[in-house]
Amino acid sequence: DTAVSQTPKYLVTQMGNDKSIKCEQNLGHDTMYWYKQDSKKFLKIMFSYNNKELIINETVPNRFSPKSPDKAHLNLHINSLELGDSAVYFCASSPPGLENEQYFGPGTRLTVT
Amino acid sequence: GQSLEQPSEVTAVEGAIVQINCTYQTSGFYGLSWYQQHDGGAPTFLSYNGLDGLEETGRFSSFLSRSDSYGYLLLQELQMKDSASYFCAVRRGKLIFGQGTTLQVKP
């Protein structure tokens, strides 16, 4: 199946831990994104990469570090997890020149206890 | 700055037509998009208006008036499966989403 995939789907961890979320797309897109969706469903961009290069870096704590080993993968590492990091994290990608048309992964529900 | 406003909730019955409005204030503009998200699911792209006017895709249509800073998503022949949240989004370098409208379709 051609799609955007993320692992894990659920992540429950304790405060202070470090965790990673992986994302892969096989759509051949050049641009990938990380979004955070809070409990009120507000969807906000965190990072964007184009062909492995960081192009958008929103006001996100530096505990969050994205890494793009190649244009099909964009991972998110989070250090020293806090309660407020609990949210659903979505990876997305878009075709060249069509940034309005984004394809989202299934999401990773992160719960920090 | 950028902000988008949508109604928080809309309720309609099966078979009806519903319109979800989106007004925006943004400096600069690169089109208005609409996304659908079912509970527990991922946002799914529905439509994009780069120019003024109406775009139709099956039962869904989207409209944009840049002079009025306004757009809407029109859903016709509502089905139960259309119950979801609908987000408008504008692109100004990045995609900025509205708060979403929860549509409940009743039998």
Side-chain angles (χ1 to χ4, degrees):
Chain A
D1 287 342
T2 53
V4 181
S5 59
Q6 292 178 231
T7 54
K9 189 163 174 62
Y10 299 96
L11 190 50
V12 181
T13 188
Q14 291 184 331
M15 283 173 55
N17 285 348
D18 303 339
K19 290 293 177 186
S20 291
I21 307 172
K22 294 188 175 182
C23 177
E24 175 181 2
Q25 55 93 6
N26 60 6
L27 299 166
H29 294 166
D30 287 340
T31 309
M32 296 184 72
Y33 313 82
W34 276 111
Y35 286 88
K36 178 180 180 180
Q37 187 171 44
D38 63 23
S39 57
K40 295 184 179 179
K41 296 188 179 178
F42 182 51
L43 196 60
K44 190 171 188 304
I45 191 166
M46 300 172 70
F47 302 102
S48 174
Y49 272 72
N50 181 269
N51 214 356
K52 301 193 298 176
E53 288 195 18
L54 181 67
I55 54 172
I56 293 175
N57 185 349
E58 286 294 289
T59 309
V60 176
N62 58 14
R63 298 181 295 103
F64 290 79
S65 52
K67 280 192 173 55
S68 182
D70 55 61
K71 74 174 194 176
H73 294 84
L74 180 61
N75 303 323
L76 183 66
H77 188 76
I78 316 170
N79 289 325
S80 304
L81 279 156
E82 300 178 357
L83 292 176
D85 298 333
S86 295
V88 182
Y89 292 83
F90 286 101
C91 176
S93 69
S94 62
L98 291 174
E99 289 80 7
N100 291 288
E101 183 177 333
Q102 297 187 10
Y103 294 78
F104 284 76
T108 297
R109 182 173 293 278
L110 171 66
T111 304
V112 183
T113 60
Chain B
Q2 302 96 2
S3 69
L4 297 96
E5 290 188 14
Q6 310 176 227
S8 57
E9 292 182 0
V10 174
T11 302
V13 296
E14 256 186 312
I17 299 173
V18 74
Q19 179 173 311
I20 299 173
N21 298 323
C22 176
T23 57
Y24 59 88
Q25 292 100 38
T26 183
S27 51
F29 180 78
Y30 292 90
L32 186 71
S33 302
W34 288 93
Y35 286 77
Q36 178 193 58
Q37 185 179 25
H38 287 100
D39 269 350
T44 304
F45 173 78
L46 288 178
S47 67
Y48 168 65
N49 293 73
L51 300 172
D52 288 358
L54 192 68
E55 296 282 340
E56 296 179 73
T57 310
R59 294 186 298 112
F60 294 3
S61 304
S62 58
F63 172 82
L64 175 64
S65 168
R66 288 175 294 174
S67 59
D68 294 325
S69 298
Y70 164 74
Y72 65 72
L73 180 70
L74 190 73
L75 298 87
Q76 303 182 72
E77 300 172 21
L78 279 173
Q79 301 175 8
M80 297 298 289
K81 67 178 182 180
D82 297 330
S83 292
S85 293
Y86 293 85
F87 296 87
C88 60
V90 294
R91 187 166 72 89
R92 181 69 175 100
K94 61 191 176 187
L95 207 55
I96 301 162
F97 286 84
Q99 296 277 44
T101 299
T102 300
L103 169 64
Q104 186 178 14
V105 180
K106 295 187 172 180

